[in-house]
Amino acid sequence: MKKGLFLTISLSLLALLSACQNNDSLAKVNLTFGKLYDSSKLETIEGHLETLTHSGLASLVNSKKEFVLLVYDKNNACTCWEDFEKTILSFVKRENALMYAISPSEFDGGHETFGLTISKSEETIAIFEDGKIKEQRVTKGSEDEFMTPAVFSSWMSERVHFSDMLYVSKTQLEGLFAGDIQFTVGFLRASCSDCSYVETSVLSSFNSKDNNVSYVIDCDVDGIRFKNGQYDEEQWNFFKEASGLSSSGSEDFGYGQGYVPSFYTYAGYNAATIDERIADAVVYLNDKIEKNPETGEYYVADSFFTEEREIVLGFLGNTKVETTVLKGMKIPAEDIENGNWKKDAAAKYHNPLLEAYLTAYVGKK
């Protein structure tokens, strides 16, 4: 083979390999949610990372979630851990990152490690995708540059895309209401199957892009749905009314007794009522389905998306969504299960509506 031809082939091969490496470097793990950093809490891992038990980790793995996990021993007396803790917290604060933490002791007794390297003297950072470890890094003592802010930040940023849709606490949500800026918040519940569905059906894809900051809140917490760890219907109804989720709270944007998942955009800082404060909203699924006793046909007896409400939903003004009114729609019998509209069938109508709403209020122009 001539030298020139060999050189050409070699350069071409190198270019191809380089392109493959660049493509791999761009294949980041997309996290569906972030978490608004709470400066009122102590600067410790326990205050800013979501601490897991072994069963909690198993739940994330079995649900095939994308997440970042720190395995660490809080009793590690090494000064290098103190420095690494500061490094992690500064990164979490800057990125408003949702990260999880677990103690090595959770794996005692032969508990499944899910492929994690477990050490009580070193720390492990693992990135999970689809419930499986995509990459992990174990620290290597006090001289490990990985624990420095610059190297750690670079390593994480190259591998993970952090979401701009941030979890907030009830106190942080109250702070948003007390402010003078427009904001969008999603009301979710950890125990809600519709909320799990919207996460995989819409939010994971939408939040894989760079968007403007928005918020979500888990309503399955004390102060909202629970009081002292117990479900409190009166408190829950008060919260929904005060936030405008229920029809008793907002004539225009409230839907029935108030449902999740729902997303609301609030503006009008000086508004006298919550109804005046709400700029727009969308409720995902939660349609009421009935069967016509005469024809035997199923139909949507009630929905957030009605002809009456259509005129106040501002996000519909510039959308190309084909179906914007769901109340009154006939539903094929094969799309009904146990008297309910199958999620996959209902999502064909709800997904475009939610995506249009999020694009209008959260998407970057």
Side-chain angles (χ1 to χ4, degrees):
M1 180 181 291
K2 294 183 178 179
K3 183 184 294 185
L5 180 59
F6 177 79
L7 180 61
T8 299
I9 293 175
S10 298
L11 290 174
S12 299
L13 180 60
L14 286 173
L16 179 61
L17 290 173
S18 177
C20 291
Q21 290 171 350
N22 288 336
N23 287 337
D24 288 342
S25 67
L26 294 176
K28 297 183 179 182
V29 173
N30 297 307
L31 304 186
T32 303
F33 299 113
K35 181 183 178 184
L36 183 63
Y37 191 83
D38 191 344
S39 298
S40 69
K41 293 186 175 182
L42 294 174
E43 296 285 323
T44 63
I45 290 298
E46 289 82 3
H48 298 282
L49 272 64
E50 297 294 316
T51 302
L52 295 173
T53 60
H54 188 272
S55 62
L57 174 58
S59 178
L60 290 176
V61 169
N62 293 334
S63 298
K64 298 183 177 181
K65 299 289 188 180
E66 282 72 39
F67 60 99
V68 178
L69 178 70
L70 165 70
V71 184
Y72 81 109
D73 183 358
K74 67 178 181 180
N75 297 317
N76 189 341
C78 179
T79 56
C80 57
W81 160 240
E82 294 180 5
D83 293 337
F84 192 33
E85 181 178 33
K86 293 176 182 177
T87 291
I88 295 170
L89 288 173
S90 66
F91 181 82
V92 168
K93 182 177 183 178
R94 192 186 77 219
E95 296 292 336
N96 284 311
L98 174 59
M99 289 177 57
Y100 296 88
I102 192 169
S103 169
S105 63
E106 289 291 327
F107 301 92
D108 291 347
H111 282 170
E112 171 65 47
T113 64
F114 307 107
L116 289 163
T117 299
I118 307 300
S119 171
K120 293 188 177 181
S121 59
E122 301 290 351
E123 293 77 44
T124 299
I125 289 283
I127 302 170
F128 283 76
E129 184 175 45
D130 198 29
K132 299 177 181 178
I133 292 178
K134 183 175 182 181
E135 191 162 356
Q136 66 178 318
R137 176 71 155 77
V138 182
T139 57
K140 301 176 182 178
S142 58
E143 302 302 318
D144 190 352
E145 292 186 351
F146 176 69
M147 296 189 288
T148 63
V151 176
F152 179 79
S153 177
S154 177
W155 190 88
M156 291 290 288
S157 298
E158 288 173 357
R159 292 161 175 79
V160 181
H161 176 267
F162 291 93
S163 173
D164 299 301
M165 185 173 282
L166 313 177
Y167 266 106
V168 291
S169 66
K170 183 174 181 288
T171 300
Q172 288 175 317
L173 180 61
E174 290 168 349
L176 290 169
F177 273 116
D180 58 358
I181 61 171
Q182 178 173 300
F183 65 95
T184 296
V185 58
F187 297 90
L188 308 176
R189 282 174 40 214
S191 61
C192 164
S193 62
D194 288 347
C195 298
S196 298
Y197 186 87
V198 75
E199 180 179 336
T200 57
S201 182
V202 177
L203 300 181
S204 61
S205 175
F206 185 85
N207 291 337
S208 67
K209 302 172 291 185
D210 289 328
N211 297 307
N212 294 313
V213 172
S214 62
Y215 307 95
V216 288
I217 186 164
D218 179 10
C219 298
D220 278 344
V221 296
D222 262 24
I224 302 183
R225 286 190 80 238
F226 298 99
K227 181 182 290 186
N228 299 321
Q230 299 296 318
Y231 172 66
D232 191 293
E233 183 177 9
E234 182 178 354
Q235 182 174 268
W236 176 222
N237 287 336
F238 176 80
F239 176 85
K240 290 186 288 184
E241 182 173 336
S243 304
L245 275 64
S246 63
S247 56
S248 59
S250 172
E251 183 178 353
D252 287 337
F253 297 99
Y255 174 48
Q257 63 185 17
Y259 296 91
V260 298
S262 58
F263 293 79
Y264 279 67
T265 299
Y266 298 93
Y269 174 63
N270 294 318
T273 66
I274 189 64
D275 210 6
E276 296 173 350
R277 187 78 190 270
I278 299 172
D280 216 344
V282 62
V283 176
Y284 186 81
L285 302 183
N286 287 290
D287 306 296
K288 182 180 179 181
I289 308 303
E290 291 185 359
K291 185 177 183 179
N292 188 316
E294 297 180 358
T295 65
E297 294 180 315
Y298 291 92
Y299 67 100
V300 180
D302 200 8
S303 173
F304 179 79
F305 296 100
T306 64
E307 288 185 6
E308 296 81 6
R309 187 175 283 111
E310 186 179 25
I311 60 175
V312 301
L313 299 180
F315 77 94
L316 294 178
N318 297 315
T319 184
K320 296 181 180 179
V321 176
E322 184 176 346
T323 303
T324 57
V325 174
L326 301 184
K327 184 178 179 180
M329 275 185 53
K330 294 181 180 179
I331 305 174
E334 60 266 26
D335 290 340
I336 298 294
E337 186 174 47
N338 298 324
N340 298 312
W341 200 358
K342 292 180 181 178
K343 286 183 174 60
D344 288 347
K348 294 178 182 178
Y349 299 95
H350 279 274
N351 284 10
L353 289 163
L354 178 55
E355 289 164 358
Y357 172 87
L358 293 174
T359 298
Y361 292 103
V362 179
K364 286 190 174 180
K365 305 297 189 286

